[in-house]
Amino acid sequence: MSNVIRVRAGLLRETHPGERRVALTPDDVRRLCARMSIRFERSCGIGAGHADDAYIAAGAEPAEFAQMASSSDVFVSVRRPAATRIFPATAVLIFLGSNAAPVTGLPAGQRPLHLDIARLSGMQGVKGADISSRQAAITGHAAILEAARQFGISHPMLMVDGSFVRPVRMAALGSDAASLQALATARRLGALTHGFGLERDTQAKIERLGAKFLGMSADLARLRQELCDPLSKMQLITTNVVIPGQTAPMLLDETMLSRLSPGTVIVDLAAESGGNCALMRVDETINVFGVRIIGSATLASHEAAEASWHFSDGLRNLLEHLIDADCSLRLDPRDSMTAALMNEETTLRRVSP
C-alpha cells in the first residue's frame, strides 16, 4: 500500500466574514491521512479552537492557497469558496452550500466540480448525509441563545425572590431541523412554545416537542392573515421557510411587523436566502417598530467548536465512502449518494494523480 499515490486534498480557510467553523478537525485529518495527503491553509482551524501545530501533528502540511490550487485534486470547506478563488477545471470542491447560487458562465467541463453536501439532505442510510441537518440544529440552538442575549436575560425561567419571571412566548415558523431545534431549546429554557409549518407532517413534529401548533397554509396571503394575531402575542419569533433554488417567501411584511409587541425579537434564519422578514439585513441586527430583527448568517459559528466537530465527523464519513481501496476518489453517478452530490453531472469521474 505504500506504493499507492493518494488523492491530494486541500483544507481551506473560511473567507466569509464571521465564519469560524472549519471543515476538518485534526482528529479527522489524522484518520483520513491513511487514504489521502492533506494540506491546509494556516489558521484555518483557529476559530474552532484548533492550532496549526495540531494539524501538523495529525499528518497534514501547511501550504499557501496558490500552492494548493496548483497541485491538489480535492478541496474541502464549510462554505462554498469565494468567487475570487480560482481553481483548476479538474478540481473537486466539497462544501455545504444550501443557499449558494448555481454556478453559471462556464460549461461543466470547464469549471471545478461542485459537490454540495446540502444535496444529501433527507437521504437515508448515507454516511455524511446528516451534515446539513446537524449544522441546522446547531443554528437553531444558537438562535435561541442569541435571542436571550438580545432580551438581556440569561434564562427565560429566571427566578427572582422565589418566583419565576413570566415565561417568554416563542413561535417558530418552519418545520426544518433548525426550527425544530429552536423550539426544543426554547422549551428547555422555560419558554411557552408555538410552531407553524407548511409540510403535511408539521403538526406531529411540533407537538412532539411540546409546542402548540399554530396551523399551516400554502397560500401566502392567507398565511399572513392567520399568523397576524398569534404572532402579536409573541416575544420571540424564529423564521426559516425556504424553497430550494428560490428566494425565501415573505412571511412577515411591514404591516405585520408594525403589529408586533415592542421589544419582540425576530431571528430570521432564512437571511441568506433573502429572508422571511421584511426590512431584514443580512448579518445585521436592526430595530424597526420597536422590534429587533436578527439577520445573522453565521449563528452556527457562535458554537464553532461543536459545529466543526459535527461537520468534520460527517465529512470524514463522506470522504471515506467516496474513496476507493486504491486511494482514488471515485465519483460514479450510478451510486445514489454520488448522483445526489453531483446533481446535474452525469459522467463518471475518477480522481487520482
Side-chain angles (χ1 to χ4, degrees), residues 173 231 239 250-254 256-257 260 266 276-278:
L173 308 186
L231 291 186
T239 69
M250 182 65 64
L251 302 183
L252 285 81
D253 57 21
E254 290 188 49
M256 293 179 70
L257 290 175
L260 297 179
I266 301 173
N276 296 138
C277 188

Side-chain angles (χ1 to χ4, degrees), residues 12-193:
L12 301 177
R13 183 174 58 242
E14 301 298 319
T15 58
H16 185 91
E19 181 56 74
R20 298 170 52 225
R21 291 173 293 177
V22 65
L24 287 172
T25 64
D27 284 345
D28 286 317
V29 164
R30 180 178 293 105
R31 296 175 68 173
L32 287 169
C33 276
R35 298 188 180 214
M36 60 174 65
S37 63
I38 300 177
R39 285 182 290 182
F40 68 97
E41 284 191 278
R42 290 190 180 277
S43 301
C44 66
I46 293 298
H50 303 295
D52 291 350
D53 287 348
Y55 284 100
I56 295 172
E61 297 179 7
E64 298 297 324
F65 174 73
Q67 179 187 5
M68 292 167 57
S70 64
S71 58
S72 296
D73 312 298
V74 180
F75 297 85
V76 296
S77 58
V78 174
R79 293 176 179 263
R80 172 183 285 180
T84 53
R85 292 195 151 187
I86 307 301
F87 298 88
T90 56
V92 176
L93 276 56
I94 304 177
F95 56 88
L96 178 61
S98 55
N99 296 309
V103 177
T104 58
L106 287 174
Q110 297 179 26
R111 58 176 169 80
L113 180 61
H114 290 71
L115 302 185
D116 185 351
I117 297 167
R119 296 171 186 158
L120 298 177
S121 190
M123 293 188 71
Q124 299 295 321
V126 176
K127 291 182 177 180
D130 59 349
I131 293 176
S132 182
S133 61
R134 286 192 193 183
Q135 297 302 298
I138 291 170
T139 296
H141 178 75
I144 299 303
L145 298 185
E146 177 59 25
R149 282 190 284 269
Q150 289 289 330
F151 279 124
I153 60 177
S154 60
H155 200 300
M157 283 189 65
L158 179 68
M159 182 177 285
V160 178
D161 295 330
S163 300
F164 285 116
V165 173
R166 186 178 62 179
V168 169
R169 296 175 64 89
M170 176 269 186
L173 308 186
S175 58
D176 61 296
S179 298
L180 295 175
Q181 184 61 54
L183 281 172
T185 301
R187 183 170 174 80
R188 289 192 196 103
L189 294 178
L192 300 177
T193 53

